[in-house]
Amino acid sequence: MDITQPSAGAGAATTDHGSFTEQKSQMSPLNNGGGPPVNYPAYPYGGEPAPQEIRIIAPPVQFRRFGNAAALGLITFGICTVQQSMMDAGMSVGYGHGTRSMTAQSISVAGIAQFAAGLWQIANGDTFEGAAFTSFGASWFAKGLAQVPGVGVEAYQNNESPDLVRKQKGLIALTWGFWVTILLLGNVKSHVANIVLFATLNLEIYFECAGAWTGDERITKTGAWFGFFCGLSAMYNAAAILLNEENFWFNLPVGNWYTPTPLRDEEGDLYEE
């Protein structure tokens, strides 16, 4: 048997379906069997495949875009910080009371929602805001979870010395103060509204640390007042993102004071610092 000769089935297939060039001419946008023109998407893999192989594919990862989740992270942090600070300062209820009512919001609003905003910012390529929102979201979630009855944190602390519990809280605040200082230093070239946010957050945490270590309620209340203004500044930053000339009459001022210095790369092209 001569294997170079096409079989009857293969010849029939060639006769029935025709060559690839004939298929292209028959399925082209200008000659669609007498019907309306058909626009096929560009084939991303090179070559000229048969039209039935062309499929609409998902865009590459670098072209997938998320919305700016910074507004969500800022507003969830700001709302819960204002509420907690008002309770810690004794503005709404007596000093040291009412914090149990923050349990649900600490877990869901400042915890889960802020953590999710941080993940979205990481997906957007913003490492700074992603690290800030996810770390504080986890902290708020842990704070709310510790107040849930049956978890065991409150019962465990009730069996310890009050002075020991107080100093433990001061140690936690101190380590978080180190982290917030890093965030503040990372914002020195940002706008004034962001600097005010992290400056007041630093003051709140360090006063909270000092009040916990010394046991002086006046220091703790002072830190709560700084936290109150920190929450308000976070809410203002969120409003500055949401209220712009596209959906508002003007852009909210944030105090852009730093102008990046144009630099040149090795090829001589300009880019911002």
Side-chain angles (χ1 to χ4, degrees):
M1 178 179 180
D2 188 358
I3 61 174
T4 60
Q5 298 295 327
S7 62
T14 304
T15 303
D16 294 341
H17 298 288
S19 66
F20 175 69
T21 304
E22 292 174 352
Q23 292 181 33
K24 283 181 59 181
S25 63
Q26 294 172 4
M27 297 296 292
S28 65
L30 299 179
N31 184 18
N32 187 26
V38 178
N39 294 322
Y40 293 101
Y43 192 67
Y45 304 108
E48 294 181 351
Q52 60 267 23
E53 296 181 13
I54 297 178
R55 298 291 184 268
I56 299 177
I57 61 175
V61 177
Q62 60 268 28
F63 295 110
R64 301 176 191 174
R65 301 186 62 184
F66 297 89
N68 188 359
L72 173 63
L74 287 167
I75 198 63
T76 52
F77 170 81
I79 289 175
C80 291
T81 300
V82 167
Q83 295 174 352
Q84 184 69 59
S85 298
M86 291 178 67
M87 296 178 185
D88 291 342
M91 287 185 280
S92 59
V93 294
Y95 172 74
H97 298 280
T99 55
R100 186 62 64 86
S101 61
M102 286 291 299
T103 301
Q105 291 202 74
S106 297
I107 294 175
S108 59
V109 180
I112 297 176
Q114 187 179 184
F115 188 86
L119 295 181
W120 282 321
Q121 287 302 90
I122 293 176
N124 281 332
D126 194 334
T127 306
F128 183 91
E129 291 183 353
F133 290 144
T134 52
S135 60
F136 276 94
S139 174
W140 275 96
F141 184 85
K143 183 187 297 184
L145 189 65
Q147 297 175 356
V148 175
V151 174
V153 177
E154 294 288 341
Y156 178 77
Q157 290 183 342
N158 291 334
N159 296 326
E160 293 184 335
S161 168
D163 290 338
L164 180 60
V165 174
R166 176 170 49 81
K167 291 183 179 180
Q168 288 175 347
K169 293 181 179 179
L171 181 61
I172 294 174
L174 178 63
T175 53
W176 274 96
F178 295 155
W179 170 234
V180 176
T181 301
I182 295 174
L183 295 177
L184 175 62
L185 295 177
N187 264 286
V188 293
K189 293 183 179 180
S190 181
H191 50 74
V192 176
N194 252 348
I195 297 174
V196 171
L197 165 62
F198 285 99
T200 51
L201 182 58
N202 269 268
L203 292 172
E204 175 202 1
I205 292 180
Y206 284 121
F207 269 91
E208 179 184 352
C209 174
W213 275 87
T214 61
D216 192 340
E217 294 183 358
R218 295 172 298 178
I219 300 177
T220 303
K221 288 183 178 181
T222 303
W225 277 101
F226 281 118
F228 176 75
F229 291 110
C230 172
L232 291 180
S233 62
M235 297 169 70
Y236 181 85
N237 276 275
I241 297 175
L242 298 175
L243 303 180
N244 48 57
E245 293 180 350
E246 295 182 358
N247 51 22
F248 197 58
W249 290 279
F250 56 89
N251 293 326
L252 292 180
V254 293
N256 294 307
W257 68 276
Y258 178 76
T259 303
T261 303
L263 301 175
R264 292 184 181 273
D265 58 14
E266 296 178 354
E267 299 179 355
D269 296 330
L270 289 175
Y271 66 94
E272 291 186 352
E273 182 182 4

